Amino acid sequence: MQTVSLSFYRFSSGADRLWAFAMMGFARLSLPRVDGIGFWKLCGSGTGEGFTPVPNTAVYAILATWPDLETARRQTRDAAIFRRYERRAIEAWSVFLGPTSVRGNWSGATPFQSGHHQDDGPLAALTRATVRPSAALRFWRRVPDISAVIGHDPNVAFKIGIGEVPLLHQITFSIWPDADAMAAFARHDGPHARAIRAVRDGNWFREELYARFRVLDTRGTWNGGKPLAKLSGQT
């Protein structure tokens, strides 16, 4: 059953950050040759927790789909391109996900195959949008307020904003203890709900995708710790 990996890497020195930036182009040559890989994307991030249009030269991510969890674990650990990232990074964290629902398209395709059951336990949400250039300024004015609300939500275990192209391609990724906590945030009449209404009314997005996942496994650390440690039974 399809597994999605999302691997985050943090770089320290100027040389390593320059290498990671260059790999946004060069890694495109290596990733298609990784055995078992399906859909994949290379992503940069914004400053802070990623929810800003100002690039963060220290944090990059690789998203990929795999035929099963074992292949995802093995190839993100052993494939040459992933090993190169890990050797250069001062910190790395991978989360392995089982799609439970997906709606919309990414680069003209539906990359995730829902089939996993949404059992109790940590769940992840991913949104990806191509912002219309004419709406980019209005969209980014909304993002800081949304980020602040997520940050103050006691339920969110992990959140980050990443993207393929600054300003125009935005991905949000967050992990929650259960479906109720995730739904409560989405339904709350705050900056997030108002932004969704503005997006719909103004037709701000040229393409969008919404997906939910079961968190199957994690590997590594982020910010010196285990992001899901505060969720019962997670490491």
Side-chain angles (χ1 to χ4, degrees):
M1 197 172 294
Q2 188 194 59
T3 296
V4 179
S5 66
L6 188 49
S7 300
F8 300 98
Y9 302 93
R10 191 189 313 279
F11 301 89
S12 179
S13 71
D16 288 335
R17 292 184 183 202
L18 184 60
W19 177 88
F21 176 75
M23 291 301 287
M24 289 289 287
F26 292 130
R28 297 175 185 274
L29 304 176
S30 300
L31 282 167
R33 298 199 295 266
V34 176
D35 187 36
I37 201 168
F39 181 88
W40 56 266
K41 288 293 180 179
L42 293 156
C43 299
S45 69
T47 52
E49 290 176 288
F51 297 92
T52 75
V54 180
N56 178 359
T57 61
V59 174
Y60 292 84
I62 302 174
L63 180 144
T65 66
W66 311 90
D68 52 65
L69 177 58
E70 182 54 37
T71 303
R73 285 174 174 147
R74 183 179 66 254
Q75 294 297 68
T76 56
R77 182 190 63 232
D78 297 340
I81 185 64
F82 287 93
R83 291 204 313 270
R84 291 179 69 190
Y85 270 83
E86 192 136 2
R87 283 197 301 266
R88 286 273 192 164
I90 60 167
E91 189 172 38
W93 186 64
S94 291
V95 57
F96 302 97
L97 308 162
T100 63
S101 65
V102 57
R103 184 176 76 253
N105 292 317
W106 188 334
S107 298
T110 302
F112 308 131
Q113 302 168 8
S114 58
H116 292 258
H117 296 295
Q118 188 168 291
D119 296 330
D120 293 338
L123 301 174
L126 182 148
T127 68
R128 186 270 183 183
T130 299
V131 184
R132 296 184 187 278
S134 60
L137 182 59
R138 285 171 290 168
F139 171 78
W140 284 105
R141 282 175 175 167
R142 299 270 186 173
V143 170
D145 287 341
I146 299 171
S147 178
V149 172
I150 299 177
H152 288 103
D153 192 308
N155 291 309
V156 67
F158 180 82
K159 72 180 191 299
I160 194 168
I162 54 178
E164 304 142 85
V165 177
L167 298 178
L168 299 181
H169 290 174
Q170 172 66 9
I171 301 163
T172 64
F173 179 74
S174 55
I175 299 178
W176 305 80
D178 51 48
D180 290 342
M182 185 187 296
F185 171 79
R187 288 195 299 261
H188 179 69
D189 187 22
H192 181 263
R194 291 195 293 273
I196 290 175
R197 288 196 293 270
V199 165
R200 296 289 177 264
D201 293 344
N203 193 27
W204 289 2
F205 294 163
R206 189 168 67 238
E207 183 183 58
E208 53 190 309
L209 177 142
Y210 301 90
R212 290 187 178 185
F213 309 85
R214 284 185 59 203
V215 177
L216 304 176
D217 196 10
T218 68
R219 182 177 66 236
T221 66
W222 199 248
N223 291 323
K226 303 285 188 179
L228 306 192
K230 72 176 186 178
L231 302 182
S232 176
Q234 296 296 308
T235 58

